[in-house]
Amino acid sequence: MNKIYFYFRILSIIILFLTISPNLFSQQEINLVEGVLIDYDKCGFFYDDEKNSYTSSINNWGYSYDSLLADLEIWKLSPYVKIDSIGLSVMGRPLWRLTISDDPENILDKRTVHVHARTHPQETEGFWVTDEMIKILLSESPEAQAIRETCVYYIIPMYNPDGVELGYPRENANHVDIESNWNTFPHQPEVAALKASFIELMSSPKPIEVALNIHSSSLCKRYFVYHDSGGTSSTFTLLEQDFIEGIRSYYPSGIEPWYYFISWVNGTPLQYPESWFWINHGENVIALTYEDMNCTSAGNYDLTANALIRGVMDYMGIVTGVNDFAEFVPEKFELYQNYPNPFNPSTVISWQSSIDSWQTLKLYDVLGNEVATLFNEHKPAGVYEIEFNPINLSSGVYFYRLSIGDYFETKKMIYQK
Ligand SMILES: [Zn+2]
């Protein structure tokens, strides 16, 4: 085996805690096996050619424009909120925005986070996550106080109020999807208002550092839409990985790894809000879509909101104090499918262990010959990840096998030169 040299390095030993859904990689595996992306959009919906519409499975979205008006009345009682509107919808409804900070009238020295939700009316779960974020940010906990002292959060809880009221699953009153028409001119009024607001905030002394675009997906998973280096840069992908895994470290059993949903593999599609940030501000802004679950298993909005806020603050280097979830450890073993697969030149292999033990990861060829030892260390319970970057390895099928105590699991990978 020494004839073949392997260079691999530990990308990051991510101490994550809790369990991970066993079906974590099913979607990605299908994509990879077929070599093409399934025709879902990033929210997990697909266009039904026969019905000439997006699939829609939910009749009662449960949170109307009136519900928002009622909540605005409650939120505005807080001394930490200022409420204004960034503009009007097609039908003239204000696009309400919360400005949250310790003194929301005086935010010029505060570091800026932006959140907008409910672009797609049927994705109510994205609103419930946002609602929990608002609750956390307005609370009197020491962490919330620390955040408000340092930061300002701009939050638009309902970016498409007309669509909500008209019962359109994804569009505004002009039947335009305002998520994916940022490069269509003239702009829809909602797009024009949000873009103008972004431009204003980006030219302020403390421009937006993190911009979250909150949706929910019929794929019934919680995940970030990760932008490949093909449409961004390798530096940006490392920032994205750091950001996503940081958030996930607070809710590893609920949020998928960074590579669950990859987009922008062949360039930057121009139509999205995130494209605008990337083209105009590059690596200065982490602008990402977060997808909550759009299905009956949705829930845990408070856990998700907590993870989002703590992860964002960690990414920005803002110390908020207590980590509520630091005591958790994975409840079971799991070896994950490598990503990408097939691969060239490198791939990432990750796994989790529920015990402190020796962890050994070996590579075998199709004849069962051991080709290399990729990892062999005594480690505490946690989630681990390595990048495998083979040198002088023949193209073909290989198997990687993880052993921890009595636990063994093997998965297949394909190396393509
Ligand atoms: Zn959506």
Side-chain angles (χ1 to χ4, degrees):
M1 75 173 255
N2 289 332
K3 289 180 182 172
I4 302 172
Y5 296 94
F6 295 93
Y7 170 69
F8 63 87
R9 64 192 171 91
I10 297 174
L11 239 195
S12 53
I13 296 180
I14 310 164
I15 313 293
L16 301 177
F17 309 91
L18 286 174
T19 8
I20 296 170
S21 159
N23 295 321
L24 203 60
F25 295 89
S26 55
Q27 184 61 37
Q28 197 61 50
E29 279 177 349
I30 293 166
N31 292 347
L32 293 165
V33 168
E34 294 182 355
V36 292
L37 282 173
I38 287 176
D39 206 13
Y40 292 121
D41 72 352
K42 66 181 181 181
C43 302
F45 298 94
F46 60 91
Y47 199 76
D48 186 331
D49 288 326
E50 290 183 7
K51 293 183 188 166
N52 199 30
S53 70
Y54 282 94
T55 53
S56 163
S57 55
I58 301 168
N59 294 319
N60 181 2
W61 297 319
Y63 190 86
S64 67
Y65 184 65
D66 283 346
S67 313
L68 176 66
L69 292 180
D71 275 340
L72 289 171
E73 290 299 315
I74 296 167
W75 292 328
K76 79 179 187 189
L77 298 174
S78 165
Y80 312 124
V81 176
K82 183 178 89 174
I83 294 173
D84 63 2
S85 149
I86 60 165
L88 299 179
S89 68
V90 172
M91 297 172 74
R93 293 187 174 91
L95 305 175
W96 297 110
R97 178 178 70 174
L98 283 68
T99 303
I100 300 178
S101 194
D102 57 357
D103 178 2
E105 297 289 348
N106 185 13
I107 41 80
L108 282 183
D109 63 335
K110 307 291 189 189
R111 297 176 64 187
T112 304
V113 180
H114 195 283
V115 177
H116 75 279
R118 209 88 190 272
T119 304
H120 293 142
Q122 75 179 354
E123 299 172 11
T124 324
E125 297 84 354
F127 168 76
W128 294 120
V129 171
T130 308
D131 179 52
E132 293 292 339
M133 291 175 77
I134 293 169
K135 282 183 187 153
I136 291 170
L137 292 168
L138 296 186
S139 76
E140 294 295 348
S141 72
E143 294 86 353
Q145 291 177 30
I147 292 168
R148 290 192 301 260
E149 277 173 21
T150 320
C151 295
V152 53
Y153 268 73
Y154 293 98
I155 299 183
I156 297 171
M158 189 183 287
Y159 173 48
N160 184 4
D162 292 353
V164 169
E165 288 306 290
L166 293 167
Y168 295 168
R170 300 176 66 78
E171 298 152 340
N172 74 352
N174 289 334
H175 286 288
V176 174
D177 184 335
I178 53 175
E179 171 68 12
S180 53
N181 279 281
W182 274 56
N183 61 335
T184 304
F185 295 95
H187 287 313
Q188 294 297 307
E190 295 88 352
V191 172
L194 189 54
K195 193 180 278 187
S197 157
F198 284 158
I199 290 170
E200 183 186 345
L201 293 172
M202 290 312 296
S203 57
S204 69
K206 300 271 187 184
I208 298 170
E209 294 177 58
V210 174
L212 294 179
N213 179 2
I214 301 195
H215 291 248
S216 65
S217 168
S218 71
L219 296 175
C220 204
K221 300 283 186 188
R222 299 182 193 87
Y223 59 91
F224 286 86
V225 178
Y226 172 89
H227 301 148
D228 188 84
S229 59
T232 55
S233 70
S234 49
T235 302
F236 189 72
T237 59
L238 292 175
L239 294 173
E240 285 181 285
Q241 290 169 30
D242 181 33
F243 178 81
I244 295 167
E245 292 302 317
I247 286 171
R248 188 169 167 254
S249 71
Y250 292 106
Y251 190 17
S253 64
I255 299 174
E256 305 301 321
W258 62 265
Y259 43 84
Y260 175 75
F261 197 104
I262 312 272
S263 68
W264 301 16
V265 177
N266 300 308
T268 308
L270 297 178
Q271 67 262 41
Y272 301 114
E274 288 81 13
S275 323
W276 183 87
F277 276 110
W278 172 251
I279 290 163
N280 290 285
H281 300 285
E283 289 143 12
N284 293 329
V285 183
I286 281 285
L288 290 177
T289 288
Y290 166 72
E291 299 276 357
D292 205 72
M293 292 178 162
N294 193 296
C295 59
T296 51
S297 354
N300 288 343
Y301 306 117
D302 52 348
L303 287 180
T304 304
N306 177 79
L308 288 173
I309 288 176
R310 288 177 188 276
V312 168
M313 294 299 98
D314 289 349
Y315 180 82
M316 293 168 67
I318 294 166
V319 177
T320 56
V322 188
N323 174 0
D324 289 345
F325 298 100
E327 299 303 315
F328 289 109
V329 297
E331 291 172 358
K332 61 181 180 181
F333 299 102
E334 190 112 35
L335 175 64
Y336 295 112
Q337 187 63 51
N338 61 305
Y339 182 82
N341 186 42
F343 70 96
N344 181 20
S346 66
T347 191
V348 175
I349 303 171
S350 59
W351 66 92
Q352 66 179 36
S353 171
S354 56
I355 58 170
D356 295 8
S357 180
W358 277 95
Q359 305 183 359
T360 305
L361 183 70
K362 290 188 173 183
L363 189 72
Y364 299 86
D365 65 18
V366 285
L367 300 175
N369 300 312
E370 185 181 321
V371 176
T373 299
L374 303 181
F375 193 89
N376 189 27
E377 291 182 39
H378 192 277
K379 286 287 182 185
V383 178
Y384 297 91
E385 179 179 285
I386 61 162
E387 182 179 353
F388 172 46
N389 190 349
I391 298 170
N392 296 334
L393 186 70
S394 307
S395 293
V397 173
Y398 293 87
F399 296 92
Y400 57 99
R401 178 177 171 86
L402 177 68
S403 60
I404 305 172
D406 296 333
Y407 167 81
F408 296 95
E409 190 165 352
T410 304
K411 288 200 180 290
K412 184 169 83 173
M413 64 163 66
I414 300 170
Y415 179 50
Q416 278 183 340
K417 273 192 175 171

